Amino acid sequence: MAMLAQRQAFSGVRVAPKAPVVAARISRSTVKTQALFGFGAKPAASGGAAPAPMICIDCGYIYDGSQEFKSLPGSYKCPVCSSPKSRFKAYKGTDVKGKPNNSPAVMKKRKDAKQW
């Protein structure tokens, strides 16, 4: 208060004292938000349809792992040519039934056919 009195005497203008700061009550409740445009939403049930096989567009390798391709980490690389996960596309060919044949000759044939 002494500074306030000095300021008033010096400037000749009366300044209102600051209001005491009242601590806001912190709420610990969980905030629920709704995702816009489907981002972050759970995917709908697909009815049991198998996901399309993914092919490396650089060498023709078809991912044959037991884990779904989308759930692989972003650091996944093609085991044949070391291309990043972004170089894989959905394979539209019909020659893959069960475990794909990833022999070099068949991979070259698939790459040349460009069925992605």
Side-chain angles (χ1 to χ4, degrees):
M1 289 304 276
M3 297 241 346
L4 182 61
Q6 288 176 354
R7 194 177 340 158
Q8 288 174 353
F10 180 71
S11 65
V13 178
R14 185 161 193 244
V15 178
K18 291 184 177 180
V21 177
V22 178
R25 184 174 181 188
I26 298 173
S27 173
R28 301 262 182 208
S29 64
T30 305
V31 177
K32 293 182 180 180
T33 59
Q34 182 177 5
L36 298 175
F37 305 111
F39 296 119
K42 292 181 180 177
S46 62
M54 301 298 283
I55 184 171
C56 175
I57 62 174
D58 294 330
C59 68
Y61 172 81
I62 292 186
Y63 173 73
D64 60 352
S66 60
Q67 189 176 4
E68 186 177 346
F69 190 79
K70 288 181 183 179
S71 63
L72 291 174
S75 61
Y76 176 79
K77 297 201 180 292
C78 176
V80 176
C81 67
S82 299
S83 294
K85 183 179 175 183
S86 61
R87 299 292 291 168
F88 279 79
K89 304 291 181 203
Y91 182 59
K92 296 191 172 47
T94 57
D95 62 333
V96 178
K97 303 233 185 327
K99 194 164 177 88
N101 182 359
N102 281 324
S103 66
V106 175
M107 286 175 25
K108 181 174 179 358
K109 196 167 154 184
R110 277 195 297 250
K111 180 185 174 227
D112 293 341
K114 295 185 180 181
Q115 294 178 339
W116 53 81

mmCIF file of all heavy atoms in Angstrom, residues 6 25 33 65 71 82-83 105-106:
data_model
loop_
_atom_site.group_PDB
_atom_site.id
_atom_site.type_symbol
_atom_site.label_atom_id
_atom_site.label_comp_id
_atom_site.label_asym_id
_atom_site.label_seq_id
_atom_site.Cartn_x
_atom_site.Cartn_y
_atom_site.Cartn_z
ATOM 1 N N GLN A 6 2.605 6.389 -2.743
ATOM 2 C CA GLN A 6 3.680 7.134 -3.391
ATOM 3 C C GLN A 6 3.341 7.415 -4.849
ATOM 4 O O GLN A 6 3.585 8.498 -5.360
ATOM 5 C CB GLN A 6 4.989 6.367 -3.300
ATOM 6 C CG GLN A 6 5.593 6.329 -1.925
ATOM 7 C CD GLN A 6 6.840 5.468 -1.884
ATOM 8 O OE1 GLN A 6 7.180 4.809 -2.866
ATOM 9 N NE2 GLN A 6 7.502 5.476 -0.723
ATOM 10 N N ARG A 25 -10.834 -23.046 -9.044
ATOM 11 C CA ARG A 25 -10.985 -24.423 -8.616
ATOM 12 C C ARG A 25 -10.591 -25.330 -9.781
ATOM 13 O O ARG A 25 -11.122 -25.233 -10.885
ATOM 14 C CB ARG A 25 -12.426 -24.683 -8.219
ATOM 15 C CG ARG A 25 -12.625 -26.053 -7.673
ATOM 16 C CD ARG A 25 -14.005 -26.221 -7.154
ATOM 17 N NE ARG A 25 -14.117 -27.570 -6.620
ATOM 18 C CZ ARG A 25 -15.232 -28.097 -6.224
ATOM 19 N NH1 ARG A 25 -16.338 -27.407 -6.274
ATOM 20 N NH2 ARG A 25 -15.268 -29.317 -5.759
ATOM 21 N N THR A 33 -13.819 -35.468 -25.798
ATOM 22 C CA THR A 33 -13.932 -34.713 -27.042
ATOM 23 C C THR A 33 -14.375 -35.647 -28.153
ATOM 24 O O THR A 33 -14.152 -36.847 -28.112
ATOM 25 C CB THR A 33 -12.582 -34.090 -27.435
ATOM 26 O OG1 THR A 33 -11.628 -35.130 -27.577
ATOM 27 C CG2 THR A 33 -12.110 -33.097 -26.393
ATOM 28 N N GLY A 65 3.512 -60.980 -43.264
ATOM 29 C CA GLY A 65 3.533 -61.139 -41.812
ATOM 30 C C GLY A 65 2.160 -61.434 -41.239
ATOM 31 O O GLY A 65 1.128 -61.284 -41.895
ATOM 32 N N SER A 71 -0.811 -51.681 -38.605
ATOM 33 C CA SER A 71 -0.365 -51.600 -37.216
ATOM 34 C C SER A 71 1.156 -51.710 -37.071
ATOM 35 O O SER A 71 1.667 -51.611 -35.963
ATOM 36 C CB SER A 71 -1.046 -52.688 -36.381
ATOM 37 O OG SER A 71 -0.659 -53.966 -36.843
ATOM 38 N N SER A 82 14.915 -52.643 -48.469
ATOM 39 C CA SER A 82 14.990 -51.618 -47.407
ATOM 40 C C SER A 82 14.216 -50.343 -47.733
ATOM 41 O O SER A 82 14.525 -49.275 -47.221
ATOM 42 C CB SER A 82 16.441 -51.270 -47.072
ATOM 43 O OG SER A 82 17.112 -52.401 -46.606
ATOM 44 N N SER A 83 13.192 -50.431 -48.567
ATOM 45 C CA SER A 83 12.330 -49.276 -48.828
ATOM 46 C C SER A 83 11.457 -49.015 -47.607
ATOM 47 O O SER A 83 11.080 -49.952 -46.911
ATOM 48 C CB SER A 83 11.439 -49.534 -50.041
ATOM 49 O OG SER A 83 12.213 -49.641 -51.200
ATOM 50 N N ALA A 105 12.274 -64.243 -58.935
ATOM 51 C CA ALA A 105 11.663 -64.229 -60.267
ATOM 52 C C ALA A 105 10.202 -63.773 -60.202
ATOM 53 O O ALA A 105 9.743 -62.963 -61.021
ATOM 54 C CB ALA A 105 11.758 -65.614 -60.899
ATOM 55 N N VAL A 106 9.473 -64.277 -59.207
ATOM 56 C CA VAL A 106 8.056 -63.910 -59.069
ATOM 57 C C VAL A 106 7.926 -62.442 -58.643
ATOM 58 O O VAL A 106 7.052 -61.721 -59.119
ATOM 59 C CB VAL A 106 7.345 -64.853 -58.062
ATOM 60 C CG1 VAL A 106 5.927 -64.420 -57.806
ATOM 61 C CG2 VAL A 106 7.388 -66.281 -58.568
#
